[in-house]
Every structure is written in C-alpha cells, then in structure tokens.
Amino acid sequence: MTDLSTGSAAFSHLDLAALVYFIVAWIAYGLSVGRLRGRAVSLSQIMNGHRANWARQVIGRDNRVVDTQINASLQNGTAFFASTSLIALGSVLTLSRSGDDVLNLFATLPFGTVANRLTWELKVAGLALIFVYAFFKFAWAYRLFNYTAILLGAVPHKGSGTSDVEMLRAVRRLAAMNVSAGRHFARGQRAFFFALAYLGWFISPYVLFVSTTAVVIIMWRRQFASEIRKALLEAGEGPHEGPLEAPLLSPAEEART
C-alpha cells in the first residue's frame, strides 16, 4: 500500500503551482458565473430568471401536464449525468491498477514528467475526487428536481379560493427549489469540464496550466460571450426580468444563484 506520508515529496514546486492554479481557476470561475450583476450577468443567471417566470405561469394553468413533463426532462438529464459520473469514477479507479504500464507510456512522451507510482496514484486520486464531487452534485440536483415536482403540484391555481399571498408564497418556494436544482446541476457539469482540464496534469504541469486556461476560456465565452446570451440581452432580458412583475426571489436568494 502506498505510503501517503511521503506525498509531499511526490510533486515538484511546478506541479503544486499548477494544482493551485487549477483550483483557484475553478473557484474564481464559479464565483463569476453566480455573483456578477448588471449587464455582466451570466447566461445561467438569465435562465434563472426564466425559471422564476415559469413558476409564475403555473398559477394560471389548471392542467399542468406540460410543466410536469418539463420538470421530468430536467430530472432525467440529471440522472443521466449522475450515472455517467459513476461510470467515469469506475474508469478512474481502474487506472490506479495500470500504473506501471501508464508510467512506461508517459516516459516516452516529450513532455511527460510522471516520475513514480506514488505521483501517479495521487493524481488518479485527485481525478476520482472530482468525479465523486460531480456525482454528489448531480444526485442532489436529482433530488431537488423531485422536490420541485412536489412543490409544482402544491401550487394552487387561480379560482381555487386561495389568497394571492399564499399563491405567491407557493410560487416562491417552487422557483427557489427549481433554481437551486439547476445550480447544483451546473456545478456537477462544471466538474466534468474541469476534469478534462485536470487530465493535462498526467502529462505535465505545463499542460495543466494550458488545459485549465483553455477550459475556463471556453466556458467563460459560453456564459458571457455566446450568441444566445447576446440575443437574450438584446431582447431586454436581465437575470430576473421578463414579462411579469416583481421578482420572485429575494436578494439573498439571488446572491446564491
């Protein structure tokens, strides 16, 4: 069994710097997607506004078959990614048994710097942790979409005799649950993208720097410079703007999205 007490000697200063850069880039990107305001809002924030608008529309519909189908499609997509993360985790664990063969392969690469089995096993463990994190995010998002279906059924419709205040409270609960489910799903999906960047570390810390930067740029462009985001903003959409009045989410809830 590998002696993990010698783990600190397994990596060079360059390896550690690349790992810190990877972690900081992941955290910084996550904060920028969820906390920017004004015209700098991300595509995810804009779509959170539409989730809230969808919750409002539920009040006026007696037949909510369409709403349940939409929620079911979101839940099924989340289940697919949860299953995929488990498959990926199993594949990663298989890699730990192929250390010697892989080390010989990387030794032939011009930029390969994997020096010993301890280094290899620690890097594989890090990749496994990423997919474990992704699984927990997808599994929790799946559960939240299940709760969303329950809250969807609990929203009273107009004409039921329920007061406007109580209907608004029900819609707020539905919107908050839906937005939270989407947020956890996005974090799980983000882990998949950064797992691709992490693979560069198996070749070289230099490759990790490059792959992390490339993944952040690609995801940033999709969130802040994509054509669909531009189209939504040109249509006058903000993070919680739309054809209906008064945002459903409180300032504290908005900050968490």
Side-chain angles (χ1 to χ4, degrees):
M1 186 175 184
T2 302
D3 184 5
L4 296 181
S5 64
T6 62
S8 59
F11 300 114
S12 66
H13 292 298
L14 184 60
D15 278 310
L16 296 176
L19 180 60
V20 170
Y21 176 76
F22 171 82
I23 295 173
V24 171
W26 188 340
I27 295 174
Y29 175 79
L31 292 176
S32 68
V33 168
R35 296 182 181 274
L36 295 181
R37 290 292 182 265
R39 300 294 290 185
V41 295
S42 65
L43 180 60
S44 292
Q45 288 175 291
I46 294 174
M47 293 310 300
N48 284 343
H50 287 287
R51 290 177 187 269
N53 288 341
W54 170 27
R56 287 189 185 95
Q57 298 294 337
V58 170
I59 295 177
R61 283 195 284 267
D62 295 335
N63 188 336
R64 295 170 183 172
V65 174
V66 173
D67 301 298
T68 56
Q69 288 179 338
I70 294 173
N71 189 75
S73 67
L74 295 174
Q75 195 172 27
N76 290 337
T78 304
F80 168 78
F81 277 99
S83 300
T84 302
S85 62
L86 286 179
I87 294 173
L89 178 60
S91 300
V92 170
L93 295 179
T94 302
L95 284 177
S96 64
R97 300 183 179 181
S98 307
D100 295 333
D101 294 335
V102 175
L103 289 175
N104 293 332
L105 173 63
F106 277 110
T108 64
L109 298 177
F111 299 104
T113 59
V114 178
N116 54 60
R117 188 175 182 86
L118 174 60
T119 302
W120 167 258
E121 290 185 357
L122 289 176
K123 289 182 178 181
V124 169
L127 185 60
L129 285 176
I130 293 176
F131 285 118
V132 168
Y133 170 83
F135 170 75
F136 275 103
K137 285 298 178 182
F138 287 130
W140 183 236
Y142 183 89
R143 187 67 177 269
L144 292 181
F145 279 124
N146 185 41
Y147 291 155
T148 299
I150 296 172
L151 293 177
L152 176 62
V155 175
H157 59 83
K158 289 184 177 180
S160 63
T162 307
S163 66
D164 292 342
V165 173
E166 194 58 38
M167 283 193 293
L168 181 58
R169 287 176 181 171
V171 170
R172 284 179 181 273
R173 289 192 292 265
L174 174 60
M177 187 66 69
N178 199 330
V179 169
S180 181
R183 181 171 66 249
H184 285 281
F185 176 83
R187 288 175 179 175
Q189 199 173 53
R190 191 180 306 151
F192 270 34
F193 288 119
F194 274 98
L196 296 177
Y198 185 90
L199 292 176
W201 198 21
F202 287 93
I203 301 176
S204 165
Y206 295 106
V207 178
L208 179 59
F209 278 116
V210 173
S211 60
T212 300
T213 303
V215 166
V216 170
I217 291 175
I218 291 172
M219 292 194 300
W220 184 90
R221 286 182 57 84
R222 291 180 177 179
Q223 285 287 342
F224 297 99
S226 62
E227 290 297 324
I228 184 60
R229 178 184 178 275
K230 180 180 178 181
L232 291 175
L233 288 177
E234 288 178 350
E237 300 289 354
H240 294 291
E241 296 177 283
L244 300 172
E245 302 175 356
L248 277 174
L249 302 181
S250 66
E253 290 170 331
E254 289 184 7
R256 292 195 296 269
T257 62

